[in-house]
Amino acid sequence: MAAPQTLTNLIDGKLVPPTTGRYIDSPNPAAGATHVLVPDSAAADVDAAVAAAAAAFPSWSATPRSRRSALMLRIADLLEQRIEAFAAAESRDQGKPVKLARSMDIPRAIHNFRFFATAILHQEESVTELDGVAFSFVHRTPVGVAGLISPWNLPLYLLTWKIAPCIAAGCTCVCKPSEITSLTAWMLCEVMIEAGLPAGVVNMVFGTGPAVGSPLVAHKDVPLISFTGGTATGEIISKTAAPLHKKLSLELGGKNANIIFADADFEDAVTTSLRSSFQNQGEICLCGSRIFVQEEIYERFVEEFSRRADALVVGDPTDPATDLGALVSKEHMEKVLSYIEIAKQEGGRIVAGGHRVVDGAFANGYFVRPTVIVGLHPTDCRVQREEIFGPVVTVTPFKTDADAIAFANSTKYGLSASVWTQNGQRAQRVARQMHVGTVWVNCWMVRDLGMPFGGVKQSGLGREGRHHSMDFFCEEKAICCRL
Amino acid sequence: MAELKDISSLDTESTDNLQESAGRALESLGTKTDGLLAKLDAILVGAGMTQAELDALAEAAGDDLDALEDGEADGGVGEAGPARDPSTLIMTAGASAAAAAARFAVRFNRPLVNGAWVQPRAGATPVQLVCPATGEGVAAVHVCSTSDIDDAVAAARAALDAGPWGSSWTGAQRRQALHEIANGMAQNRDELSWLESLAGKPISQAAEDIDASIECVRHFAGFADRIQGKYFAAHPGFESFTVREPVGVCGLITSFNYPLQCRIVLTVWKVAPALAAGNASVAANTVVVKPAHQTPLSTLMLAHIVSQTSVPRGVLNVVLGGAEIGQHLAAHPGLDMVSFTGSTKVGRLIAAANAAVGPRRCTLELGGKNPIIVCADADLDKAADSVVNAAFGEKRVHGLVSKNLIVSANMGQNCCAGSRLLLHRSIHDAFMDKIKARAARLVLGHPQDPATEMGPVVDQTQFDNIMARINEAKRDPSIRLVTGGERRGTTGYFVQPTIFADVDDAAPLAVHEVFGPVLAVLKPFDSIEEAVRRANSSVYGLAAGLWTNNLRSSQYATKHLRAGMIWINNYNDTPVYMPFGGLKQSGYGKDLGEEALDGFTVLKSVHSARE
């Protein structure tokens, strides 16, 4: 096995080691052995990065949009040229199948840059005339230095989902990727340098939440905090940022319902539900971890769904035949397995999977079979209420539309939902009653970046997307000129 | 006795409704019954009665009137009593028409230029407007000379360049003025409805049109003080923005050969956004309106209402006349734009006349041969109600439609009438039974009878055109006549609601806009893809209807139908906030919606270097 790779921070356009001189072991989840050494940075590194971002802000915010756009398109082009290397690194670092990284994570990162690079060219505000008295213009002004904190499940995908709108809007940033999955973020630093992005526009400080995230969130020169991750961490961030009157964008957890009516296209519903349950090992905040199936087709669905779940290939993430790779860490795997035990205690019956995979080559990796649980109370148990964030899904029958809606809305989360029906009236009616940020009808995780994205209830605060991210990273100013 | 049969087939609820509306009309009549029976004669002749039937009914009507005046009418409202003698019903309905006639008279019959009603030239002969139900003259109208057009354009120009409207009025003032117009229309709702009904539109539907027109004016009033440009912060070295300004003097022409379609609603669809669109420090639009020569009276009443508001004279001018006057206006070099609603054929002439003095802006809202697709999974009863309404026009159905509606297809004389019906094979026969039964139940009658669901078509020319299309289809052995197909009565231009089945997609009846109460049911379809493909096989692209509860079918049709307006599980509802206008040979430009303002404004781009 190759020696572990040592990462560096990106501060003011330079790749530098952490001031602490310490590094965190980051294992390859499929092998269980350290493959990357992640800087264990501290507040001093954050201060240096914020200073660089603040210094870069006046010039970057005054850079013509066309120039900002061109630089971002260059970043996207370089990413695209290196898609194989990025996909392999993402898979090795996170545990996901390389085919998924190549088909979803990295292409989406490229798209994030291209989408916002071109969207800002069409950004427009209004100008009104007040009855012969005055012209009023709306100026949109970037706010300043943003702190961008991204999670470990879709590392480059979700980091660039924040960096791209941030720098497109004219803000500069200090990023803190998850210390568990920092490799592709570090590779992105090299790409941004090579693309000619001015020094200080994007800074990257690697390390843990307490050591790096906390000082960043509390920093007096960082008026914007955008965070994607767990609801518990989101709560800590809110408590720090709110008294400082920072703009906050929080994209948190979910316990998303996947409602399948008897009149749905059965084959389509089963196929997509397998993805929405187990894609990326179930480590996507949008995964539909609670499947509710109308009773007429419930038995048939459970049989077909569990049969096909059992047929999914769990294995070597580099193998193109693999459907599910490894969970991201040992701790996370143990948490997921503990929920399977809780399900059994709560009266659940495991009809597929339900255990770790420890055969031969997988012995040291964090592999769990896709797990299907039936027989649980539709709402009143931990497994139906708490986010597991792994390849574990419950399937529960329902009778009426009203039941399905009540079950779906019963958790503290409100991120997304899927509704499967061929009846247009029902689709509209049920979708309107889902208390979530996104409803998919007869599909899942189809993402139009022009649409508002975010959650309600404990799933977050604010929306991201073409207009919504611009609203977050900019302030509007009215300038009223007497005629 | 066809009418009597029709009415006796009404259920109890319908007959009660008839009594109720007749009773209300009579109450409003008060004691003015002198000469009533004489007026009834004319009306009933119009409905196709023989003299013998008339005499019998007139006697019954006299008794009925007495009874009503004694207070019996009060008890009739909403009570499910036994059905009354059908002949009585006809009489009471006729009485209400006479009631309306007694209340109103045609007050305005001349062009309005620069705030004054134009004096007829010496020796000029007025044009008689004929009631299409009776063939009797209802008003004599003084048409314009071409020099009147020049005067109207000059007045509009002067109001724009020199008057307060174009130089000092603010958006807030224009907003207020539009509300004054809407208030005036509301106060004169009954008279406007009555004027509309003179050209054949059933008065209950005309009243709905007036309501829709009022809502349209109020909607555009809201735009008057917030016409916006855009601001672009694309480059830090420049201030870049756009200013939206009025286009100038607008020629608004509603068809001169396609009667009736272009009535007050469609006039208002143009006048309201034109007057709303302005820019306070620069100008606002002024207009010259030419209504269809068969239907000018409600537009003249509107002009009168405007003249009673704070809107300065010359801002709205109305010219009258036929094709010659329309073409003279379209080709007038003093206009800044022309907006036309009417047939595709005339649209081409307008566009050519406009281009000859242009390049100049032109928007066209033209004809349609609008398909309605009914899938197997649709709610067939609701769909059948809607299809009959879309093809022939009747009262609002099911409360499906919102208040801002043009619910009636106006005897098929409506650019968005549903005239081609595509049925899924599995429901074809059952659905045909439903629409046949509904068409047979439609109540034909005098337009001023509140119970009337279908009036006459507008004039002899239109009547002849429609009957020619019907007869052509009857001669085609491959086409099956399902119901109707004949004139109704011997007086007036009544055409039975007519349904043909098994019509080939390429048959003239399926290709040409008939603009009358004629529905072509095409051969059945087997898949939504086929239905949409066949629906699109028309030179027109104005509107299309779809009845389905299936999500995939509705999404497929939404995506692939080539029409400017797609109605799903409803038809003919035109909310003021939705842009309306066609594709292909149905024209270009939009009425309604914020997009209507695009036609009446020009954009100026300002690019200013900083320092």
Side-chain angles (χ1 to χ4, degrees), chain A residues 62 65 124-125 127-129 131 137-139 422-425 441, chain B residues 171-172 228-231 233-234 236 242 279 281 549-551 569:
Chain A
R65 285 182 201 170
E124 59 195 32
E125 270 58 61
V127 50
T128 64
E129 188 186 340
D131 283 359
F137 301 89
V138 177
H139 270 250
Q422 284 299 307
N423 183 310
Q425 310 285 348
V441 177
Chain B
Q228 293 194 338
K230 291 175 180 173
Y231 178 80
T242 59
N279 179 312
S281 69
N549 285 317
N550 182 279
L551 192 54
N569 295 337

PDB file of all heavy atoms in Angstrom, chain A residues 62 65 124-125 127-129 131 137-139 422-425 441, chain B residues 171-172 228-231 233-234 236 242 279 281 549-551 569:
ATOM      1  N   ALA A  62     -15.213  43.647  -7.159  1.00  0.00           N
ATOM      2  CA  ALA A  62     -15.244  44.653  -8.223  1.00  0.00           C
ATOM      3  C   ALA A  62     -14.834  44.066  -9.570  1.00  0.00           C
ATOM      4  O   ALA A  62     -14.788  44.786 -10.569  1.00  0.00           O
ATOM      5  CB  ALA A  62     -14.319  45.816  -7.857  1.00  0.00           C
ATOM      6  N   ARG A  65     -18.378  40.648 -13.852  1.00  0.00           N
ATOM      7  CA  ARG A  65     -18.972  39.308 -13.842  1.00  0.00           C
ATOM      8  C   ARG A  65     -18.431  38.440 -14.962  1.00  0.00           C
ATOM      9  O   ARG A  65     -18.278  37.237 -14.796  1.00  0.00           O
ATOM     10  CB  ARG A  65     -20.481  39.415 -14.071  1.00  0.00           C
ATOM     11  CG  ARG A  65     -21.248  39.899 -12.905  1.00  0.00           C
ATOM     12  CD  ARG A  65     -22.691  39.866 -13.330  1.00  0.00           C
ATOM     13  NE  ARG A  65     -23.489  40.748 -12.516  1.00  0.00           N
ATOM     14  CZ  ARG A  65     -24.738  41.051 -12.793  1.00  0.00           C
ATOM     15  NH1 ARG A  65     -25.312  40.575 -13.873  1.00  0.00           N
ATOM     16  NH2 ARG A  65     -25.422  41.829 -12.008  1.00  0.00           N
ATOM     17  N   GLU A 124     -30.078  40.184 -13.056  1.00  0.00           N
ATOM     18  CA  GLU A 124     -30.594  41.527 -13.312  1.00  0.00           C
ATOM     19  C   GLU A 124     -31.437  41.965 -12.130  1.00  0.00           C
ATOM     20  O   GLU A 124     -32.060  41.157 -11.455  1.00  0.00           O
ATOM     21  CB  GLU A 124     -31.434  41.540 -14.589  1.00  0.00           C
ATOM     22  CG  GLU A 124     -32.593  40.578 -14.500  1.00  0.00           C
ATOM     23  CD  GLU A 124     -33.222  40.288 -15.849  1.00  0.00           C
ATOM     24  OE1 GLU A 124     -32.525  40.298 -16.853  1.00  0.00           O
ATOM     25  OE2 GLU A 124     -34.444  40.067 -15.859  1.00  0.00           O
ATOM     26  N   GLU A 125     -31.424  43.246 -11.896  1.00  0.00           N
ATOM     27  CA  GLU A 125     -32.244  43.826 -10.848  1.00  0.00           C
ATOM     28  C   GLU A 125     -33.249  44.753 -11.504  1.00  0.00           C
ATOM     29  O   GLU A 125     -33.267  44.912 -12.714  1.00  0.00           O
ATOM     30  CB  GLU A 125     -31.348  44.587  -9.863  1.00  0.00           C
ATOM     31  CG  GLU A 125     -30.849  43.732  -8.724  1.00  0.00           C
ATOM     32  CD  GLU A 125     -30.066  42.508  -9.186  1.00  0.00           C
ATOM     33  OE1 GLU A 125     -29.032  42.656  -9.833  1.00  0.00           O
ATOM     34  OE2 GLU A 125     -30.517  41.384  -8.900  1.00  0.00           O
ATOM     35  N   VAL A 127     -35.281  48.495 -12.112  1.00  0.00           N
ATOM     36  CA  VAL A 127     -35.197  49.944 -12.019  1.00  0.00           C
ATOM     37  C   VAL A 127     -36.615  50.465 -12.225  1.00  0.00           C
ATOM     38  O   VAL A 127     -37.318  50.036 -13.130  1.00  0.00           O
ATOM     39  CB  VAL A 127     -34.199  50.536 -13.042  1.00  0.00           C
ATOM     40  CG1 VAL A 127     -34.450  50.017 -14.433  1.00  0.00           C
ATOM     41  CG2 VAL A 127     -34.231  52.051 -13.032  1.00  0.00           C
ATOM     42  N   THR A 128     -37.052  51.309 -11.338  1.00  0.00           N
ATOM     43  CA  THR A 128     -38.422  51.804 -11.439  1.00  0.00           C
ATOM     44  C   THR A 128     -38.413  53.320 -11.449  1.00  0.00           C
ATOM     45  O   THR A 128     -37.472  53.955 -10.980  1.00  0.00           O
ATOM     46  CB  THR A 128     -39.284  51.339 -10.255  1.00  0.00           C
ATOM     47  OG1 THR A 128     -38.750  51.909  -9.064  1.00  0.00           O
ATOM     48  CG2 THR A 128     -39.291  49.838 -10.126  1.00  0.00           C
ATOM     49  N   GLU A 129     -39.494  53.848 -12.005  1.00  0.00           N
ATOM     50  CA  GLU A 129     -39.607  55.283 -12.012  1.00  0.00           C
ATOM     51  C   GLU A 129     -40.816  55.659 -11.183  1.00  0.00           C
ATOM     52  O   GLU A 129     -41.900  55.118 -11.365  1.00  0.00           O
ATOM     53  CB  GLU A 129     -39.773  55.801 -13.437  1.00  0.00           C
ATOM     54  CG  GLU A 129     -39.688  57.304 -13.480  1.00  0.00           C
ATOM     55  CD  GLU A 129     -39.999  57.824 -14.872  1.00  0.00           C
ATOM     56  OE1 GLU A 129     -39.908  57.060 -15.832  1.00  0.00           O
ATOM     57  OE2 GLU A 129     -40.352  59.004 -14.963  1.00  0.00           O
ATOM     58  N   ASP A 131     -43.366  58.074 -10.664  1.00  0.00           N
ATOM     59  CA  ASP A 131     -44.220  59.208 -10.991  1.00  0.00           C
ATOM     60  C   ASP A 131     -43.498  60.511 -11.307  1.00  0.00           C
ATOM     61  O   ASP A 131     -43.864  61.578 -10.826  1.00  0.00           O
ATOM     62  CB  ASP A 131     -45.164  59.473  -9.814  1.00  0.00           C
ATOM     63  CG  ASP A 131     -46.299  58.465  -9.809  1.00  0.00           C
ATOM     64  OD1 ASP A 131     -46.331  57.618 -10.713  1.00  0.00           O
ATOM     65  OD2 ASP A 131     -47.136  58.539  -8.915  1.00  0.00           O
ATOM     66  N   PHE A 137     -33.002  52.503  -8.460  1.00  0.00           N
ATOM     67  CA  PHE A 137     -32.247  51.347  -8.921  1.00  0.00           C
ATOM     68  C   PHE A 137     -32.062  50.379  -7.765  1.00  0.00           C
ATOM     69  O   PHE A 137     -31.900  50.796  -6.625  1.00  0.00           O
ATOM     70  CB  PHE A 137     -30.847  51.749  -9.391  1.00  0.00           C
ATOM     71  CG  PHE A 137     -30.837  52.733 -10.509  1.00  0.00           C
ATOM     72  CD1 PHE A 137     -30.848  54.099 -10.252  1.00  0.00           C
ATOM     73  CD2 PHE A 137     -30.797  52.300 -11.824  1.00  0.00           C
ATOM     74  CE1 PHE A 137     -30.840  55.009 -11.280  1.00  0.00           C
ATOM     75  CE2 PHE A 137     -30.781  53.213 -12.854  1.00  0.00           C
ATOM     76  CZ  PHE A 137     -30.805  54.574 -12.588  1.00  0.00           C
ATOM     77  N   VAL A 138     -32.031  49.101  -8.084  1.00  0.00           N
ATOM     78  CA  VAL A 138     -31.661  48.105  -7.081  1.00  0.00           C
ATOM     79  C   VAL A 138     -30.237  47.643  -7.382  1.00  0.00           C
ATOM     80  O   VAL A 138     -29.962  47.143  -8.466  1.00  0.00           O
ATOM     81  CB  VAL A 138     -32.623  46.902  -7.096  1.00  0.00           C
ATOM     82  CG1 VAL A 138     -32.159  45.843  -6.093  1.00  0.00           C
ATOM     83  CG2 VAL A 138     -34.036  47.353  -6.785  1.00  0.00           C
ATOM     84  N   HIS A 139     -29.353  47.879  -6.433  1.00  0.00           N
ATOM     85  CA  HIS A 139     -27.985  47.384  -6.544  1.00  0.00           C
ATOM     86  C   HIS A 139     -27.865  46.132  -5.722  1.00  0.00           C
ATOM     87  O   HIS A 139     -28.321  46.091  -4.584  1.00  0.00           O
ATOM     88  CB  HIS A 139     -26.996  48.413  -5.974  1.00  0.00           C
ATOM     89  CG  HIS A 139     -26.496  49.393  -6.972  1.00  0.00           C
ATOM     90  ND1 HIS A 139     -25.212  49.406  -7.426  1.00  0.00           N
ATOM     91  CD2 HIS A 139     -27.127  50.409  -7.593  1.00  0.00           C
ATOM     92  CE1 HIS A 139     -25.058  50.386  -8.301  1.00  0.00           C
ATOM     93  NE2 HIS A 139     -26.201  51.014  -8.423  1.00  0.00           N
ATOM     94  N   GLN A 422     -49.931   7.713 -10.794  1.00  0.00           N
ATOM     95  CA  GLN A 422     -50.189   8.124 -12.173  1.00  0.00           C
ATOM     96  C   GLN A 422     -51.333   9.125 -12.239  1.00  0.00           C
ATOM     97  O   GLN A 422     -51.675   9.605 -13.313  1.00  0.00           O
ATOM     98  CB  GLN A 422     -50.526   6.905 -13.042  1.00  0.00           C
ATOM     99  CG  GLN A 422     -49.310   6.071 -13.406  1.00  0.00           C
ATOM    100  CD  GLN A 422     -48.286   6.862 -14.210  1.00  0.00           C
ATOM    101  OE1 GLN A 422     -48.607   7.453 -15.227  1.00  0.00           O
ATOM    102  NE2 GLN A 422     -47.059   6.897 -13.730  1.00  0.00           N
ATOM    103  N   ASN A 423     -51.926   9.406 -11.089  1.00  0.00           N
ATOM    104  CA  ASN A 423     -53.071  10.306 -11.069  1.00  0.00           C
ATOM    105  C   ASN A 423     -52.596  11.736 -10.813  1.00  0.00           C
ATOM    106  O   ASN A 423     -52.066  12.050  -9.750  1.00  0.00           O
ATOM    107  CB  ASN A 423     -54.043   9.846  -9.977  1.00  0.00           C
ATOM    108  CG  ASN A 423     -55.291  10.692  -9.936  1.00  0.00           C
ATOM    109  OD1 ASN A 423     -55.221  11.925  -9.913  1.00  0.00           O
ATOM    110  ND2 ASN A 423     -56.438  10.052  -9.932  1.00  0.00           N
ATOM    111  N   GLY A 424     -52.804  12.584 -11.830  1.00  0.00           N
ATOM    112  CA  GLY A 424     -52.294  13.951 -11.739  1.00  0.00           C
ATOM    113  C   GLY A 424     -52.919  14.746 -10.603  1.00  0.00           C
ATOM    114  O   GLY A 424     -52.241  15.523  -9.926  1.00  0.00           O
ATOM    115  N   GLN A 425     -54.202  14.552 -10.373  1.00  0.00           N
ATOM    116  CA  GLN A 425     -54.881  15.289  -9.305  1.00  0.00           C
ATOM    117  C   GLN A 425     -54.313  14.891  -7.942  1.00  0.00           C
ATOM    118  O   GLN A 425     -54.040  15.722  -7.096  1.00  0.00           O
ATOM    119  CB  GLN A 425     -56.385  15.008  -9.315  1.00  0.00           C
ATOM    120  CG  GLN A 425     -57.050  15.163 -10.666  1.00  0.00           C
ATOM    121  CD  GLN A 425     -57.223  16.609 -11.051  1.00  0.00           C
ATOM    122  OE1 GLN A 425     -57.060  17.498 -10.237  1.00  0.00           O
ATOM    123  NE2 GLN A 425     -57.567  16.858 -12.305  1.00  0.00           N
ATOM    124  N   VAL A 441     -42.238  14.044  -7.826  1.00  0.00           N
ATOM    125  CA  VAL A 441     -43.367  13.235  -8.279  1.00  0.00           C
ATOM    126  C   VAL A 441     -42.859  12.265  -9.335  1.00  0.00           C
ATOM    127  O   VAL A 441     -42.330  12.684 -10.367  1.00  0.00           O
ATOM    128  CB  VAL A 441     -44.486  14.128  -8.848  1.00  0.00           C
ATOM    129  CG1 VAL A 441     -45.626  13.269  -9.382  1.00  0.00           C
ATOM    130  CG2 VAL A 441     -44.999  15.075  -7.765  1.00  0.00           C
TER     131      VAL A 441
ATOM    132  N   GLY B 171     -48.023  57.879 -13.150  1.00  0.00           N
ATOM    133  CA  GLY B 171     -48.558  56.517 -13.185  1.00  0.00           C
ATOM    134  C   GLY B 171     -49.715  56.351 -12.219  1.00  0.00           C
ATOM    135  O   GLY B 171     -50.698  55.673 -12.515  1.00  0.00           O
ATOM    136  N   ALA B 172     -49.599  56.978 -11.068  1.00  0.00           N
ATOM    137  CA  ALA B 172     -50.672  56.859 -10.069  1.00  0.00           C
ATOM    138  C   ALA B 172     -51.970  57.476 -10.597  1.00  0.00           C
ATOM    139  O   ALA B 172     -53.063  56.962 -10.342  1.00  0.00           O
ATOM    140  CB  ALA B 172     -50.255  57.542  -8.775  1.00  0.00           C
ATOM    141  N   GLN B 228     -41.742  48.690 -15.075  1.00  0.00           N
ATOM    142  CA  GLN B 228     -40.358  48.587 -14.628  1.00  0.00           C
ATOM    143  C   GLN B 228     -39.378  48.321 -15.755  1.00  0.00           C
ATOM    144  O   GLN B 228     -39.718  47.692 -16.746  1.00  0.00           O
ATOM    145  CB  GLN B 228     -40.214  47.406 -13.643  1.00  0.00           C
ATOM    146  CG  GLN B 228     -40.933  47.627 -12.346  1.00  0.00           C
ATOM    147  CD  GLN B 228     -40.492  46.628 -11.292  1.00  0.00           C
ATOM    148  OE1 GLN B 228     -39.989  45.575 -11.600  1.00  0.00           O
ATOM    149  NE2 GLN B 228     -40.685  46.996 -10.037  1.00  0.00           N
ATOM    150  N   GLY B 229     -38.167  48.793 -15.549  1.00  0.00           N
ATOM    151  CA  GLY B 229     -37.054  48.366 -16.380  1.00  0.00           C
ATOM    152  C   GLY B 229     -36.187  47.410 -15.584  1.00  0.00           C
ATOM    153  O   GLY B 229     -36.556  46.975 -14.499  1.00  0.00           O
ATOM    154  N   LYS B 230     -35.033  47.090 -16.139  1.00  0.00           N
ATOM    155  CA  LYS B 230     -34.103  46.199 -15.451  1.00  0.00           C
ATOM    156  C   LYS B 230     -32.798  46.935 -15.196  1.00  0.00           C
ATOM    157  O   LYS B 230     -32.426  47.837 -15.952  1.00  0.00           O
ATOM    158  CB  LYS B 230     -33.817  44.967 -16.322  1.00  0.00           C
ATOM    159  CG  LYS B 230     -34.985  44.047 -16.459  1.00  0.00           C
ATOM    160  CD  LYS B 230     -34.663  42.927 -17.427  1.00  0.00           C
ATOM    161  CE  LYS B 230     -35.846  41.980 -17.569  1.00  0.00           C
ATOM    162  NZ  LYS B 230     -35.595  41.000 -18.639  1.00  0.00           N
ATOM    163  N   TYR B 231     -32.113  46.505 -14.163  1.00  0.00           N
ATOM    164  CA  TYR B 231     -30.818  47.088 -13.839  1.00  0.00           C
ATOM    165  C   TYR B 231     -29.783  45.975 -13.879  1.00  0.00           C
ATOM    166  O   TYR B 231     -30.010  44.895 -13.336  1.00  0.00           O
ATOM    167  CB  TYR B 231     -30.858  47.722 -12.449  1.00  0.00           C
ATOM    168  CG  TYR B 231     -29.539  48.303 -12.031  1.00  0.00           C
ATOM    169  CD1 TYR B 231     -29.140  49.551 -12.503  1.00  0.00           C
ATOM    170  CD2 TYR B 231     -28.676  47.608 -11.208  1.00  0.00           C
ATOM    171  CE1 TYR B 231     -27.917  50.082 -12.151  1.00  0.00           C
ATOM    172  CE2 TYR B 231     -27.450  48.128 -10.841  1.00  0.00           C
ATOM    173  CZ  TYR B 231     -27.073  49.364 -11.324  1.00  0.00           C
ATOM    174  OH  TYR B 231     -25.858  49.888 -10.978  1.00  0.00           O
ATOM    175  N   ALA B 233     -25.893  44.898 -13.095  1.00  0.00           N
ATOM    176  CA  ALA B 233     -24.610  45.233 -12.482  1.00  0.00           C
ATOM    177  C   ALA B 233     -23.531  44.343 -13.079  1.00  0.00           C
ATOM    178  O   ALA B 233     -22.712  43.770 -12.376  1.00  0.00           O
ATOM    179  CB  ALA B 233     -24.682  45.057 -10.973  1.00  0.00           C
ATOM    180  N   ALA B 234     -23.534  44.214 -14.389  1.00  0.00           N
ATOM    181  CA  ALA B 234     -22.657  43.238 -15.024  1.00  0.00           C
ATOM    182  C   ALA B 234     -21.197  43.674 -14.970  1.00  0.00           C
ATOM    183  O   ALA B 234     -20.304  42.850 -14.905  1.00  0.00           O
ATOM    184  CB  ALA B 234     -23.078  43.020 -16.470  1.00  0.00           C
ATOM    185  N   PRO B 236     -18.422  46.577 -13.264  1.00  0.00           N
ATOM    186  CA  PRO B 236     -18.311  47.649 -12.266  1.00  0.00           C
ATOM    187  C   PRO B 236     -18.035  49.013 -12.883  1.00  0.00           C
ATOM    188  O   PRO B 236     -18.215  50.031 -12.210  1.00  0.00           O
ATOM    189  CB  PRO B 236     -17.140  47.193 -11.388  1.00  0.00           C
ATOM    190  CG  PRO B 236     -16.411  46.174 -12.179  1.00  0.00           C
ATOM    191  CD  PRO B 236     -17.391  45.545 -13.111  1.00  0.00           C
ATOM    192  N   THR B 242     -32.463  49.535 -18.247  1.00  0.00           N
ATOM    193  CA  THR B 242     -33.439  49.765 -19.308  1.00  0.00           C
ATOM    194  C   THR B 242     -34.599  50.588 -18.764  1.00  0.00           C
ATOM    195  O   THR B 242     -34.921  50.520 -17.578  1.00  0.00           O
ATOM    196  CB  THR B 242     -34.003  48.450 -19.869  1.00  0.00           C
ATOM    197  OG1 THR B 242     -34.621  47.730 -18.803  1.00  0.00           O
ATOM    198  CG2 THR B 242     -32.917  47.589 -20.474  1.00  0.00           C
ATOM    199  N   ASN B 279     -44.924  56.002 -19.024  1.00  0.00           N
ATOM    200  CA  ASN B 279     -43.737  56.341 -18.260  1.00  0.00           C
ATOM    201  C   ASN B 279     -43.937  57.782 -17.883  1.00  0.00           C
ATOM    202  O   ASN B 279     -44.015  58.662 -18.735  1.00  0.00           O
ATOM    203  CB  ASN B 279     -42.504  56.166 -19.140  1.00  0.00           C
ATOM    204  CG  ASN B 279     -41.270  56.534 -18.379  1.00  0.00           C
ATOM    205  OD1 ASN B 279     -41.198  57.576 -17.737  1.00  0.00           O
ATOM    206  ND2 ASN B 279     -40.292  55.669 -18.435  1.00  0.00           N
ATOM    207  N   SER B 281     -42.612  60.479 -16.779  1.00  0.00           N
ATOM    208  CA  SER B 281     -41.959  61.711 -17.168  1.00  0.00           C
ATOM    209  C   SER B 281     -41.938  61.881 -18.677  1.00  0.00           C
ATOM    210  O   SER B 281     -41.547  62.912 -19.181  1.00  0.00           O
ATOM    211  CB  SER B 281     -40.536  61.733 -16.638  1.00  0.00           C
ATOM    212  OG  SER B 281     -39.792  60.765 -17.324  1.00  0.00           O
ATOM    213  N   ASN B 549     -56.968  12.580 -16.105  1.00  0.00           N
ATOM    214  CA  ASN B 549     -56.429  12.620 -14.750  1.00  0.00           C
ATOM    215  C   ASN B 549     -55.073  11.965 -14.690  1.00  0.00           C
ATOM    216  O   ASN B 549     -54.486  11.825 -13.628  1.00  0.00           O
ATOM    217  CB  ASN B 549     -57.387  11.922 -13.771  1.00  0.00           C
ATOM    218  CG  ASN B 549     -58.587  12.800 -13.485  1.00  0.00           C
ATOM    219  OD1 ASN B 549     -58.432  13.997 -13.289  1.00  0.00           O
ATOM    220  ND2 ASN B 549     -59.770  12.214 -13.511  1.00  0.00           N
ATOM    221  N   ASN B 550     -54.597  11.543 -15.849  1.00  0.00           N
ATOM    222  CA  ASN B 550     -53.317  10.837 -15.870  1.00  0.00           C
ATOM    223  C   ASN B 550     -52.177  11.840 -15.970  1.00  0.00           C
ATOM    224  O   ASN B 550     -52.126  12.689 -16.849  1.00  0.00           O
ATOM    225  CB  ASN B 550     -53.284   9.870 -17.051  1.00  0.00           C
ATOM    226  CG  ASN B 550     -51.999   9.081 -17.076  1.00  0.00           C
ATOM    227  OD1 ASN B 550     -50.979   9.566 -17.534  1.00  0.00           O
ATOM    228  ND2 ASN B 550     -52.038   7.870 -16.552  1.00  0.00           N
ATOM    229  N   LEU B 551     -51.247  11.689 -15.050  1.00  0.00           N
ATOM    230  CA  LEU B 551     -50.156  12.642 -14.942  1.00  0.00           C
ATOM    231  C   LEU B 551     -49.283  12.626 -16.186  1.00  0.00           C
ATOM    232  O   LEU B 551     -48.925  13.665 -16.730  1.00  0.00           O
ATOM    233  CB  LEU B 551     -49.329  12.274 -13.711  1.00  0.00           C
ATOM    234  CG  LEU B 551     -48.311  13.275 -13.228  1.00  0.00           C
ATOM    235  CD1 LEU B 551     -48.942  14.624 -13.004  1.00  0.00           C
ATOM    236  CD2 LEU B 551     -47.705  12.766 -11.931  1.00  0.00           C
ATOM    237  N   ASN B 569     -58.394  19.932 -18.067  1.00  0.00           N
ATOM    238  CA  ASN B 569     -59.584  19.697 -17.231  1.00  0.00           C
ATOM    239  C   ASN B 569     -60.398  20.975 -17.015  1.00  0.00           C
ATOM    240  O   ASN B 569     -61.046  21.148 -15.968  1.00  0.00           O
ATOM    241  CB  ASN B 569     -59.200  19.035 -15.896  1.00  0.00           C
ATOM    242  CG  ASN B 569     -58.640  17.637 -16.104  1.00  0.00           C
ATOM    243  OD1 ASN B 569     -58.922  17.011 -17.124  1.00  0.00           O
ATOM    244  ND2 ASN B 569     -57.865  17.153 -15.168  1.00  0.00           N
TER     245      ASN B 569
END
